[in-house]
Amino acid sequence: MRELGWKHAYFLDADHINLKTVERFLTPCDFFTMDVADLIGKSASAGEIDAFVIRHPELIGTVSIPRIDTPFQIDESFVRGVAAKFLAAVKDAGQIYRHLMEKKGEGNFVPEISMDETDTPQTPVELLIILAAIADEKIPIQTIAPKFTGRFNKGVDYVGDVPQFTKEFRDDLATIAFAIERYGLPANLKLSVHSGSDKFSIYAAIHDAVTEFNAGVHLKTAGTTWLEELIGLAEADGDALALAKEIYREAYGHSEELCVPYASVIDIDATKLPKPDEVDGWTSEQYVSALRHEQSNPAFNQNFRQLLHVGFKVAAKMGDRYLKMLEANEDVVARNVTTNLFDRHIKPVFLGTK
């Protein structure tokens, strides 16, 4: 950043941390995505739920959210049900936040809460109840990741109903704007879209909505950069292509263990994965065509791409061998990474251009 003369803010995200895993990220990171998935669906105590309901009588009855056409009719049992599902998770986020504040100091980091590890998308009222609980915990949350309709598989396009996603995204923006005013949450509170890279079919909807609402958005794209590194190595040919092929062989041989942690965000048809012996015979162009996310290319293989997406651990275990190969081919790798992030992600989402 210093070498390129960047003078604006940037952050290093400790992704999906909890109290058990946060310690090693405290020094280098200044953005913390608090993962409370294990507590979603585990009920808070009856006393905590009672206290929440008493604190928030405004959530019972007719709830009107500006820019959502139809008011919501909410009874106490609904509020109790949502609190039972999410309150324990929010309280866990509060514990994590206070630990971070003790270690990092107030205002020295960005807190995000991940609420996307649940079976169904939150309705606007459910999200409002969650935000009320977050305000109760006095977490100055800057981004929140709710659950959206459809599948956000790693490294490939959105799979689902784009108009329904668009409605949910816009309703969530309206709910956030309302919660900022009602509960005093930070004015820059924004939606976060997890596994957000390569979701080209919804970027126009995201851009149009955040522009209309004058809101920000956090798009998580880390995994796609690793794939562009591989594409760069394959393009470089020679030893770099050979390393890319070796990485695929190892990923293929350990596919089960690599895929298990990401089962909810990948959809790989093993019968459509090329055998490593076949890949060993590929040219640079064949490897790149199979991996690069160009759906108009008949050689593109989303199963191949998803397996390599979750196969980053193979490269990590190579250590300096992999890093030195990146350094030796920096120009071609950097070109692929930059083109992908700027032209295919930043421009459509934030600038509204294709």
Side-chain angles (χ1 to χ4, degrees):
M1 291 293 185
R2 284 192 298 269
E3 289 176 3
L4 293 173
W6 181 259
K7 300 185 185 302
H8 303 287
Y10 65 94
F11 300 94
L12 183 61
D13 182 10
D15 195 18
H16 288 278
I17 55 89
N18 54 43
L19 283 175
K20 295 178 181 177
T21 60
V22 69
E23 292 301 319
R24 65 193 179 103
F25 299 104
L26 288 172
T27 298
C29 294
D30 52 7
F31 189 116
F32 294 86
T33 299
M34 296 180 279
D35 188 340
V36 294
D38 289 347
L39 276 297
I40 294 176
K42 294 186 178 179
S43 184
S45 70
E48 289 171 329
I49 295 172
D50 287 343
F52 178 81
V53 172
I54 291 168
R55 276 196 306 274
H56 293 287
E58 79 284 355
L59 292 171
I60 299 171
T62 301
V63 176
S64 297
I65 298 175
R67 303 176 89 162
I68 297 179
D69 292 338
T70 306
F72 299 92
Q73 300 299 325
I74 309 301
D75 59 23
E76 182 177 321
S77 64
F78 179 84
V79 175
R80 287 183 175 278
V82 177
K85 184 174 183 179
F86 292 106
L87 190 56
V90 172
K91 287 187 171 295
D92 186 49
Q95 289 186 314
I96 299 169
Y97 172 74
R98 287 185 285 277
H99 179 73
L100 289 169
M101 192 166 62
E102 178 184 339
K103 298 292 185 179
K104 300 286 291 184
E106 187 174 3
N108 292 326
F109 62 94
V110 173
E112 170 171 317
I113 298 178
S114 171
M115 283 285 176
D116 60 335
E117 300 289 336
T118 184
D119 295 336
T120 56
Q122 291 94 2
T123 66
V125 173
E126 287 174 323
L127 180 58
L128 184 63
I129 292 169
I130 290 167
L131 291 170
I134 290 170
D136 287 348
E137 287 294 311
K138 295 180 170 51
I139 305 171
I141 183 176
Q142 291 191 35
T143 59
I144 185 167
K147 171 77 171 179
F148 293 109
T149 249
R151 286 187 66 87
F152 287 75
N153 292 331
K154 295 286 186 183
V156 294
D157 205 354
Y158 173 76
V159 180
D161 185 335
V162 174
Q164 179 61 29
F165 167 82
T166 303
K167 182 181 184 304
E168 290 174 7
F169 192 85
R170 292 172 62 84
D171 285 353
D172 285 351
L173 288 176
T175 303
I176 284 175
F178 180 67
I180 288 170
E181 291 293 324
R182 183 65 181 78
Y183 299 116
L185 291 165
N188 65 343
L189 174 57
K190 60 186 70 69
L191 286 174
S192 182
V193 182
H194 285 198
S195 297
S197 71
D198 300 276
K199 305 302 180 284
F200 304 134
S201 62
I202 59 173
Y203 287 168
I206 291 174
H207 172 266
D208 291 347
V210 297
T211 300
E212 180 181 336
F213 280 80
N214 192 28
V217 64
H218 179 208
L219 190 74
K220 290 219 175 191
T221 61
T224 195
T225 295
W226 139 249
L227 292 176
E228 294 302 319
E229 291 174 0
L230 267 186
I231 288 169
L233 293 179
E235 273 194 348
D237 215 340
D239 291 343
L241 174 60
L243 186 68
K245 291 176 177 178
E246 181 183 338
I247 289 170
Y248 178 70
R249 178 176 287 277
E250 285 296 307
Y252 186 92
H254 297 86
S255 60
E256 185 173 350
E257 63 192 81
L258 290 171
C259 290
V260 165
Y262 301 98
S264 64
V265 285
I266 54 175
D267 190 7
I268 297 174
D269 183 345
T271 66
K272 295 181 179 178
L273 287 171
K275 297 292 193 290
D277 287 347
E278 177 189 345
V279 174
D280 282 347
W282 281 358
T283 64
S284 168
E285 182 180 356
Q286 286 175 301
Y287 195 108
V288 170
S289 293
L291 184 55
R292 181 176 281 149
H293 191 183
E294 291 182 352
Q295 296 180 52
S296 60
N297 186 342
F300 171 61
N301 186 329
Q302 66 175 3
N303 304 288
F304 180 72
R305 182 174 171 86
Q306 287 180 90
L307 177 58
L308 282 170
H309 194 294
V310 300
F312 65 91
K313 292 178 182 177
V314 175
K317 288 180 180 179
M318 290 181 172
D320 282 348
R321 183 175 167 224
Y322 176 73
L323 295 176
K324 287 178 179 177
M325 191 65 78
L326 290 181
E327 291 170 358
N329 297 279
E330 181 178 354
D331 288 347
V332 65
V333 169
R335 173 171 49 77
N336 278 282
V337 169
T338 301
T339 298
N340 180 57
L341 285 178
F342 187 71
D343 291 346
R344 308 182 82 196
H345 292 84
I346 292 174
K347 286 174 71 174
V349 173
F350 296 100
L351 303 179
T353 59
K354 295 182 179 180

